[in-house]
Amino acid sequence: MPDLAFDIAHMLAGSLVLVSFMMIYQDRLSALLNTFALQALLLAAAVGWQAYIQGASHLYASAGIALVFKAIIVPWALHKMIQRLGIHREVETVVGVVPTMLAGMGLVALSILLMLQLTETAESALAREDLAFSLSVILLGMLMMVTRRNAVSQVVGFMSLENGLILATTGAQGMPFVVEISVAFSVLIAMIVIGVFLFRIRERFDSVDTEAIEHFRGEKRS
Amino acid sequence: MELIGNLLLQGVQMFLVLVLAPGLTGLVRKAKARLTRRRGASVLQPYRDLWRLMQKEVILADNASWLFRVSPYMIVAATWVAASLVPTFAIGLEFSWTADFIAIVALLGSARFFLALAGMDVGTSFGGIGSSREMMIGAFAEPAMLLVVFTVSLVAGSTQLSNVVAFMQSDAVGVRVSLAMALVALVIVALAENARIPVDNPATHLELTMVHEAMVLEYSGRHLAMIELAASLKLLLYVALIGAIFLPFGIGPAGTGFAGLAAGLVFFLVKLVGGGLLLAVLETSVAKMRVFRVAEFLGAALMLGLLGTLLLFVSRSL
Amino acid sequence: MIGAGLTIVGLLLVLSLAAAVLPNGPKTPVLVYGASTALCSGLAAIGFSALAASADPVGLILPIGLPWLGAHFRIDGLSAFFLLLLGIGGAAASLYAIGYGRHEHEPHRTLPFYPGFLGAMAVVILSDDAFTFLLSWEVMSLLSWALVLTHHRAEDTRQAGYLYLVMAGFGTMVLLLAFGLMAGSGGSYDFAAIRETGRNEMLAAAVLMLMLLGAGSKAGLMPMHVWLPVAHPAAPSHVSALMSGVMTKVAIYGFVRVVFDLLGPLPWWASPVVIVAGALTAVIGILFAINDGDGKRVLAWSTIENVGIIFAGLGLAVAFRANAMPGLAALAMTAALIHAMNHMLFKSLLFMVAGAVLNATGRRDLDALGGLIHRMPVTAALALVGVTAISALPPLNGFVSEWLMFQSVLQSPQLAQPGLQFLVPAAGGVLALTAALAATAFVRFFGVIFLGRARSDPAAAASEVDRWSLGAMAGLAALCILAGVLPGLLIDFVGPAVEIASGDRLVSQASNAWFTLVPLPQIDSSYSGFLVMAFVAIVGGGAAWTVHRIASRGVRRGPAWDCGFPNADPITQYGAGSFAQPIRRSFGPVVAARETVFMPPPGDPSAARHAASTTDLAWRHLYTPLIALVGALATRANSLQFLTIRRYLSLVFGTLILLLVGLATWN
């Protein structure tokens, strides 16, 4: 049933965008990490479903990686980091929740408009839709990074951005396995680096509020 | 003969919603009590409460105006008419085309308008608190509800509820994420409009926690009975609405025979009981939000509705 | 028909001149306003009969004005509809003024200008060439400016007049430019010739933007709205009713006439500009209405909101027309035009209510009123009809135009451009938010003025106003109810106007059972205002009757319960500022809301103070820098006043050389 297959893929991709919105809505750090785990879970389901309907077995491995690393290990590691560093559990935003969500809506509309226009010649409706949704998730991840003061939430935004990239590559068929591994490793390394960075910030300033660093820049910007 | 039969059927629907409404409220209270390890009052207690209230005399504040005395009947009338127009056990009833989905939402808005005015009438600070907070909640809930209406109407092709239900029952609907989003948004709006946790606490009279109760603080006797009845009718309306649109199983098609009507009635009762139990579970598992967090909560429902509409356009233009 | 209309206009102008020379007795206002009522009723009758007969357009050319042009006048469906609107609004305002005018201290500051104002608006609607249109537009602006300055002794009234004059001048200048572009080089200025001229889409879009600026500034579209909340409240109440209810609609008539009738085909990308401008105006306008503490200014901001809604509907009509869907364009245009009529009805009613309250108590600010439902029962009941109508609640008329607007938003999937497909539902969401906020604003307006307890002595001692004012308000309230219960009649009536503007009209609603509205038969969405009203009345009455039979009928009066802590001081009840607080907190950034609290230091027994204020961001970010720029340029140019004689001579010499060089190169 091609219709049902399309509908389920549409449902999973749409839920991914929905969960990205939910991440913007959270105001507590532990809830944010749980939402991120949910997003990774949905991503694994979406990639697995794509593997099933495309008959591409290497995508099962991608789904597995997403499930194990991003849905289980990374949130657990970040939870532990928060506990160990005693980081302030509240997510401080630059503007309120409602303007951020409005901006998010605008970004989703923009990416859908753009992607549907750019891919007019593509045959697979599924691929076009996945590209539109994944650009939305990428932009929402960037929005999260830009509107949050807490470094941990910026890291989560970065990771959700990467989830969007994975969705894009599964939709466009034929991504070889090796690219997936390298992408995953680069993200892992980025996480380690950011984790070390966080430790250092915490040691120096007793907080991970990135605003505090502004004090020590060369030219003071008022 | 046909006309009389149809009119009778519409009348049956009107009285059905009126009779079942306090029962639904009683069921939700009983389930909440059971979930918190209490026995709870009987499911029929709201009926007894209404009767008892109606036998008591009304105590009016010295400066209450005619608007204060007329409002309870206006509110009941608007809510009851709206509730009678939602398909419960069958569609295509005689007057079901009188008001479509948008008009039903606006009728509920009328009821809220008069309730807020009644809250301001006596000139106490509690009434003002309730009215201003209720209008703020309404200012977010009504557009969210209208965006849900948009999403559902864009899927079903019409705003007439009978047509919507008929479409949802057919095979053309498919599994759509926009409808899932519309469902979540509608549930959030229903919680806000019925003054349920996490938006408002229907069981308390503390200033920090009340919105609906603050507006009706000065009412007593038969007026209070009317207002409580209107609140129960509103709850029944929302449960029936969610059931009719998203779970349209068993609703009798237009012009169905007696067997179809009976089956529709049974399914409707099952949906009511299910909805009531789910509401009780939800109310006992989350805490009430701060008042200004409610604006963000309902704003999220608004965004969900808008997102559902946008995603609908995506799937259409592919 | 057109001859009769022009005769009435002539009589109005004569009445204006007569009012200038008549002595200052107590009979003069009654005479002038009474004659205005009769003449406006005549205009309404002309408009009504032209619409009902669906006659062909009739034109007339008078040999006045420019010698090679003459003055062209025409009455067709569109002008008949707006003439009807003007007639009803003018007649109601004049009837009201017969009673209200008795309280005027200096009637000679209003009377000579008032009939002329009505006449000028009628000429704008009837004019069929650019010169007559612009001349009567300017006369309309000047006469209303004179009316705004009636209470000239107050400083803010003088400032309001100055701001109004500047904005009116700006509007006319932009309209001049628009008409010039339309006529083209060597083109004729009468509308028939402009209609025939072909023009490319870029030029048409440019003219649309100019009309948006020019007509929009008179109607109150953002960001040209800044004069409305200061000028409309400053005028006497019957003039405010006319300015808000009728003059803004005359501006909208100008926009519709030019953009939909004269311009020809428009590109689709012009519609998002109009839709976004309309939707943003609506939502920001109503947010300011919720936060304002002066009764008449609340009504002025609400006018801005409703004008935004109308422009959103007009933008939808442009979009559908550009996509060659005249049927759907007719739906959007019907919604916009009916909203214009409805708004005239309930806004005039509400301004009359505000005027009645001002007369009875002498106060306009909301925090000095309260409890007036007991002192002014008839006014309160009529005000209730007005606020219910403006909050778009069924079964009154505000809901009909709102419903039609939403139905046309729901047709957006048929538009071809994906950008429009996204924008229209988003705009629909904003309009829904606006409607809910309007209900909030008017619960606040009615509740703080009429309900509760009196907050000041004048409010406690108020008494009902005179019969003329009540009669005018009752007439408008009756029309609101009628338009809500028989919407099909109104739609059929506005059909000829819609046909001119969008090329098609909605199917006749007269044949539907029970006065139901079914605008698009293929969609099968329907609404019956009559039945809803009947059901609510029957059910409400039946419930009251049943309860009084089976329940106790006892009523006892006592002090308010207030959770056991009743406070006798009326200042403890919710006022205008406190009612707005949740909305102010939620939407703070949009209205630049600031709340300041002054807490005295410990040991100081003086009272703490709380002040909440809002700022118009358009004023702060657009107008203040502009004014500063103009000031800076003027200061620089000032140095030209202090030159030596030699410098002046060299200026003249330089200009002469420049012109000679120009002549040489041009030839």
Side-chain angles (χ1 to χ4, degrees):
Chain A
M1 290 180 284
D3 267 346
L4 185 62
F6 177 77
D7 275 341
I8 293 187
H10 183 72
M11 169 83 97
L12 287 171
S15 320
L16 213 58
V17 177
L18 181 63
V19 174
S20 306
F21 261 105
M22 276 173 63
M23 292 208 295
I24 296 183
Y25 176 73
Q26 300 304 326
D27 62 349
R28 277 175 303 190
L29 215 46
S30 36
L32 181 64
L33 289 176
N34 294 339
T35 319
F36 172 68
L38 179 65
Q39 191 194 42
L41 200 67
L42 278 172
L43 178 71
V47 172
W49 181 254
Q50 293 281 9
Y52 173 63
I53 51 177
Q54 286 176 24
S57 47
H58 66 267
L59 285 180
Y60 283 120
S62 304
I65 291 180
L67 186 65
V68 169
F69 272 117
K70 300 220 194 81
I72 300 177
I73 295 187
V74 169
W76 177 83
L78 283 172
H79 266 297
K80 277 284 174 273
M81 205 185 302
I82 292 177
Q83 277 174 5
R84 191 121 53 93
L85 295 183
I87 292 179
H88 193 37
R89 300 292 175 93
E90 205 173 282
V91 174
E92 287 121 22
T93 59
V94 172
V95 282
V97 169
V98 175
T100 321
M101 283 211 280
L102 273 175
M105 286 306 311
L107 289 173
V108 170
L110 176 67
S111 40
I112 292 177
L113 253 176
L114 193 62
M115 275 315 196
L116 288 184
Q117 278 183 0
L118 287 179
T119 57
E120 230 144 61
T121 52
E123 293 134 19
S124 163
L126 205 53
R128 293 178 69 197
E129 184 187 78
D130 272 350
L131 280 174
F133 284 165
S134 47
L135 185 61
S136 315
V137 174
I138 291 173
L139 288 178
L140 284 174
M142 280 194 212
L143 183 69
M144 248 196 78
M145 286 177 74
V146 163
T147 56
R148 295 284 181 274
R149 293 193 205 276
N150 189 307
V152 175
S153 35
Q154 286 172 353
V155 167
V156 171
F158 176 70
M159 309 229 63
S160 85
L161 194 154
E162 208 258 339
N163 284 349
L165 279 170
I166 301 220
L167 183 67
T169 48
T170 53
Q173 295 150 353
M175 181 172 89
F177 202 29
V178 64
V179 178
E180 162 74 354
I181 293 184
S182 50
V183 169
F185 265 116
S186 66
V187 170
L188 214 49
I189 288 173
M191 218 202 72
I192 294 173
V193 167
I194 294 175
V196 169
F197 189 36
L198 280 175
F199 267 108
R200 284 299 164 92
I201 301 177
R202 166 81 175 141
E203 268 175 38
R204 208 39 72 85
F205 304 115
D206 277 335
S207 102
V208 285
D209 186 344
T210 46
E211 290 288 300
I213 300 181
E214 289 291 305
H215 237 352
F216 295 92
R217 288 179 63 125
E219 322 79 62
K220 173 102 170 134
R221 230 169 270 169
S222 50
Chain B
M1 197 53 226
E2 175 91 12
L3 181 65
I4 301 215
N6 284 336
L7 282 175
L8 212 59
L9 207 55
Q10 177 78 64
V12 164
Q13 157 131 350
M14 283 188 72
F15 279 101
L16 186 72
V17 297
L18 187 69
V19 162
L20 287 179
L24 180 64
T25 309
L27 175 72
V28 173
R29 285 189 198 155
K30 178 84 166 169
K32 273 167 78 169
R34 280 287 168 163
L35 284 169
T36 51
R37 296 184 54 136
R38 290 181 284 124
R39 277 180 159 276
S42 135
V43 175
L44 301 177
Q45 185 61 31
Y47 295 99
R48 297 192 197 116
D49 285 340
L50 285 174
W51 183 248
R52 176 179 54 93
L53 278 173
M54 291 216 272
Q55 304 308 311
K56 289 185 179 267
E57 82 179 335
V58 162
I59 300 188
L60 284 177
D62 284 323
N63 62 331
S65 65
W66 60 266
L67 189 61
F68 192 77
R69 297 174 72 160
V70 165
S71 285
Y73 301 107
M74 278 283 328
I75 295 168
V76 158
T79 318
W80 192 5
V81 170
S84 322
L85 293 168
V86 173
T88 52
F89 53 85
I91 56 176
L93 293 179
E94 183 66 20
F95 288 115
S96 60
W97 43 264
T98 311
D100 64 345
F101 207 163
I102 302 179
I104 291 178
V105 172
L107 269 173
L108 291 175
S110 297
R112 176 175 44 237
F113 189 81
F114 280 97
L115 190 58
L117 283 180
M120 304 262 313
D121 189 56
V122 179
T124 62
S125 37
F126 279 109
I129 291 177
S131 298
S132 65
R133 286 179 184 173
E134 174 73 15
M135 294 314 289
M136 174 194 76
I137 292 177
F140 286 103
E142 206 171 286
M145 181 84 165
L146 277 167
L147 280 171
V148 169
V149 171
F150 282 176
T151 309
V152 168
S153 309
L154 285 171
V155 169
S158 163
T159 51
Q160 209 60 41
L161 274 175
S162 296
N163 295 348
V164 169
V165 171
F167 182 85
M168 292 293 173
Q169 284 178 329
S170 71
D171 297 322
V173 65
V175 174
R176 290 191 189 244
V177 69
S178 309
L179 285 181
M181 290 187 188
L183 174 60
V184 173
L186 189 54
V187 167
I188 294 179
V189 168
L191 288 173
E193 291 259 359
N194 288 299
R196 296 273 149 191
I197 294 183
V199 174
D200 182 16
N201 194 337
T204 179
H205 284 192
L206 299 174
E207 180 262 316
L208 281 177
T209 59
M210 62 178 174
V211 176
H212 185 263
E213 296 298 314
M215 286 188 288
V216 303
L217 199 60
E218 300 291 331
Y219 274 116
S220 52
R222 58 181 181 274
H223 295 155
L224 187 57
M226 291 288 104
I227 294 202
E228 304 252 319
L229 183 61
S232 309
L233 273 170
K234 204 166 172 186
L235 182 62
L236 185 112
L237 189 158
Y238 273 97
V239 176
L241 194 63
I242 294 176
I245 297 178
F246 297 102
L247 303 163
F249 319 113
I251 297 188
T256 183
F258 189 71
L261 289 175
L265 188 59
V266 167
F267 274 101
F268 177 60
L269 288 173
V270 166
K271 284 182 218 172
L272 275 188
V273 169
L277 291 176
L278 279 174
L279 177 63
V281 168
L282 181 66
E283 282 206 271
T284 43
S285 40
V286 295
K288 196 185 106 64
M289 297 178 168
R290 291 167 35 220
V291 170
F292 292 111
R293 185 75 174 145
V294 171
E296 290 174 1
F297 185 55
L298 285 171
L302 229 164
M303 295 297 150
L304 267 178
L306 194 55
L307 194 60
T309 317
L310 282 189
L311 291 182
L312 209 55
F313 283 127
V314 172
S315 60
R316 253 176 215 254
S317 49
L318 283 176
Chain C
M1 198 92 70
I2 181 90
L6 287 174
T7 320
I8 294 187
V9 169
L11 284 174
L12 279 169
L13 293 170
V14 165
L15 189 61
S16 237
L17 293 170
V21 298
L22 279 175
N24 255 345
K27 289 284 186 190
T28 320
V30 177
L31 188 65
V32 173
Y33 288 129
S36 306
T37 313
L39 291 171
C40 285
S41 313
L43 281 177
I46 293 175
F48 185 88
S49 49
L51 279 176
S54 283
D56 292 323
V58 179
L60 185 66
I61 303 181
L62 289 181
I64 53 178
L66 295 175
W68 61 92
L69 186 57
H72 296 237
F73 300 98
R74 202 166 86 122
I75 185 162
D76 60 5
L78 191 60
S79 33
F81 179 72
F82 279 92
L83 207 61
L84 174 66
L85 197 152
L86 167 64
I88 298 178
S94 310
L95 187 66
Y96 176 80
I98 296 179
Y100 182 84
R102 290 194 204 129
H103 299 258
E104 276 295 317
H105 293 298
E106 296 169 294
H108 54 275
R109 289 193 68 92
T110 348
L111 289 177
F113 308 113
Y114 183 83
F117 179 44
L118 291 168
M121 286 198 282
V123 177
V124 172
I125 295 177
L126 288 174
S127 58
D128 197 41
D129 71 270
F131 183 71
T132 318
F133 184 91
L134 286 170
L135 185 66
S136 47
W137 184 279
E138 264 302 90
V139 172
M140 174 178 84
S141 305
L142 280 176
L143 289 177
S144 52
W145 169 75
L147 287 169
V148 164
L149 280 179
T150 305
H151 303 130
H152 61 118
R153 300 196 194 283
E155 172 66 30
D156 19 341
T157 310
R158 287 201 294 273
Q159 283 181 350
Y162 182 66
L163 182 60
Y164 181 28
L165 206 56
V166 170
M167 294 303 296
F170 165 75
T172 311
M173 182 179 76
V174 171
L175 282 180
L176 253 173
L177 199 56
F179 277 109
L181 275 178
M182 271 202 296
S185 60
S188 161
Y189 279 101
D190 64 292
F191 282 179
I194 293 180
R195 212 175 274 129
E196 301 301 314
T197 319
R199 51 188 73 84
N200 68 344
E201 286 197 339
M202 291 300 295
L203 188 67
V207 173
L208 185 145
M209 301 303 167
L210 286 173
M211 285 307 293
L212 207 58
L213 283 178
S217 78
K218 183 69 85 199
L221 202 61
M222 287 198 175
M224 293 82 60
H225 65 285
V226 284
W227 64 275
L228 224 150
V230 290
H232 281 206
S237 304
H238 56 295
V239 175
S240 306
L242 271 186
M243 287 174 76
S244 263
V246 182
M247 193 171 74
T248 49
K249 310 303 171 301
V250 171
I252 288 175
Y253 163 78
F255 185 81
V256 172
R257 173 66 76 188
V258 169
V259 170
F260 287 91
D261 189 21
L262 299 180
L263 264 189
L266 284 164
W268 71 268
W269 46 262
S271 62
V273 179
V274 184
I275 296 177
V276 168
L280 285 180
T281 305
V283 75
I284 298 178
I286 197 63
L287 281 173
F288 276 107
I290 294 178
N291 283 298
D292 207 299
D294 177 317
K296 285 172 88 171
R297 228 180 2 245
V298 168
L299 295 175
W301 280 114
S302 163
T303 302
I304 294 178
E305 173 229 341
N306 281 288
V307 163
I309 295 177
I310 297 176
F311 270 97
L314 291 176
L316 276 174
V318 172
F320 284 122
R321 235 174 64 136
N323 277 290
M325 296 176 192
L328 295 178
L331 180 60
M333 180 60 74
T334 311
L337 289 181
I338 289 192
H339 196 78
M341 175 69 91
N342 287 341
H343 180 245
M344 183 277 294
L345 288 174
F346 43 68
K347 190 44 66 67
S348 307
L349 172 59
L350 285 173
F351 263 110
M352 290 177 190
V353 165
V357 168
L358 181 60
N359 258 348
T361 61
R363 300 293 292 266
R364 234 167 69 181
D365 44 331
L366 294 173
D367 275 327
L369 302 168
L372 289 177
I373 194 170
H374 303 286
R375 312 287 314 177
M376 306 168 67
V378 183
T379 311
L382 294 172
L384 188 62
V385 174
V387 300
T388 315
I390 201 169
S391 309
L393 299 175
L396 293 182
N397 58 345
F399 178 67
V400 172
S401 45
E402 199 75 33
W403 188 80
L404 285 172
M405 194 80 71
F406 286 143
Q407 290 296 333
S408 96
V409 164
L410 281 171
Q411 304 307 317
S412 60
Q414 308 200 28
L415 291 168
Q417 297 84 10
L420 278 179
Q421 284 183 351
F422 283 1
L423 182 67
V424 171
V430 171
L431 288 179
L433 180 63
T434 309
L437 287 172
T440 309
F442 285 97
V443 166
R444 172 179 180 260
F445 180 79
F446 188 82
V448 172
I449 294 182
F450 288 102
L451 302 176
R453 295 171 282 162
R455 293 178 184 81
S456 68
D457 292 329
S463 57
E464 191 58 271
V465 288
D466 58 274
R467 278 175 303 133
W468 297 105
S469 311
L470 290 178
M473 291 196 276
L476 286 174
L479 281 175
C480 284
I481 297 177
L482 214 61
V485 163
L486 303 174
L489 278 182
L490 193 55
I491 288 184
D492 286 343
F493 229 55
V494 84
V498 171
E499 190 150 9
I500 293 179
S502 51
D504 195 3
R505 54 185 287 182
L506 290 180
V507 295
S508 163
Q509 306 290 317
S511 51
N512 295 332
W514 296 107
F515 305 108
T516 311
L517 268 190
V518 187
L520 297 171
Q522 66 272 26
I523 304 290
D524 197 31
S525 299
S526 58
Y527 163 71
S528 170
F530 177 76
L531 277 180
V532 168
M533 167 83 97
F535 281 154
V536 169
I538 293 175
V539 166
W545 186 86
T546 319
V547 165
H548 278 255
R549 284 279 167 284
I550 64 175
S552 138
R553 288 215 236 160
V555 169
R556 185 154 54 99
R557 290 275 178 175
W561 159 239
D562 211 7
C563 256
F565 298 99
N567 194 314
D569 195 340
I571 206 85
T572 57
Q573 63 184 328
Y574 254 50
S578 29
F579 195 93
Q581 187 240 22
I583 302 281
R584 194 168 53 232
R585 288 280 175 91
S586 313
F587 289 96
V590 178
V591 294
R594 297 188 62 113
E595 292 187 30
T596 46
V597 177
F598 165 71
M599 291 295 291
D604 188 347
S606 59
R609 268 199 308 279
H610 172 265
S613 70
T614 56
T615 320
D616 194 346
L617 286 174
W619 192 261
R620 189 195 284 174
H621 293 292
L622 182 63
Y623 288 91
T624 313
L626 208 62
I627 294 172
L629 180 69
V630 169
L633 284 176
T635 315
R636 288 281 184 84
N638 197 28
S639 57
L640 281 175
Q641 293 213 25
F642 304 106
L643 300 177
T644 62
I645 295 198
R646 192 186 59 82
R647 289 252 170 90
Y648 282 127
L649 285 175
S650 43
L651 266 181
V652 175
F653 183 58
T655 315
L656 183 63
I657 300 293
L658 208 65
L659 288 174
L660 287 174
V661 167
L663 203 61
T665 52
W666 192 24
N667 267 343

